[in-house]
Amino acid sequence: MSDSNCIFCKLASGEFGSATIYEDDLFRVILDIAPAAKGHALLLPKRHVSNIFELDGEEETKALSVVKKICTALTKTLNCDGINVLQNNGAAAGQSVFHYHMHMIPRYDNDQVNIPWTPLSYADGEADAVAATIKANL
């Protein structure tokens, strides 16, 4: 199932050309056309799902396996010092294309790639209270 208005559906199906580095029955992995670093790749499900909450069990399991395989190949090929694996859900989290995708960004010591946030802190006992609330909703 795809969304005819979704650019990532068109990329995942091969309707739009892309530099594809992996493909199977569930996913296509392409190089990002506006990369944060050379080799920046995107994992795209072939089925249109807006976010992580819409993945089925097989997609959940296979996504991480494919990401590991791609990150291993990126590291061997590009000799990068690390890799960011990023995935956003919802506009407030930075999602701008509402088709689930995972970024794999090769990183090098002292590169100019920035993925910043301002660190916060918990008051005494606050982390335990937040953890307990989250556990109650599992």
Side-chain angles (χ1 to χ4, degrees), residues 10-11 14-20 28 30 33:
K10 293 176 182 182
L11 287 164
E15 181 179 339
F16 286 174
S18 61
T20 300
R28 179 174 283 198
I30 64 170
I33 62 167

Side-chain angles (χ1 to χ4, degrees), residues 33-108:
I33 62 167
K38 298 295 182 189
H40 177 169
L42 296 175
L43 172 106
L44 304 171
K46 291 183 175 180
R47 182 174 76 91
H48 182 79
V49 291
S50 297
N51 55 48
I52 196 169
F53 307 108
E54 295 179 5
L55 292 173
D56 67 26
E58 183 182 11
E59 290 164 332
E60 291 172 20
T61 302
K62 193 160 190 182
L64 190 54
S65 175
V66 171
V67 166
K68 180 181 175 184
K69 179 183 293 197
I70 299 302
C71 288
T72 299
L74 289 171
T75 301
K76 286 179 183 176
T77 305
L78 302 173
N79 297 310
C80 54
D81 300 309
I83 295 182
N84 285 115
V85 177
L86 303 171
Q87 198 278 311
N88 304 320
N89 295 284
Q95 186 177 11
S96 58
V97 178
F98 294 90
H99 181 112
Y100 175 86
H101 58 286
M102 292 180 74
H103 295 264
M104 293 157 277
I105 305 170
R107 299 297 305 272
Y108 300 89

Side-chain angles (χ1 to χ4, degrees), residues 9 17 23-24 73 93 97 125:
C9 281
E23 184 173 7
D24 63 28
V97 178

Side-chain angles (χ1 to χ4, degrees), residues 1 4-5 23 37 54 57 73 83 100 109 116 118-119 122 130 135-136:
M1 179 173 119
S4 62
N5 296 317
E23 184 173 7
E54 295 179 5
I83 295 182
Y100 175 86
D109 292 336
T118 304
Y122 290 105
V130 170
K135 286 180 190 178

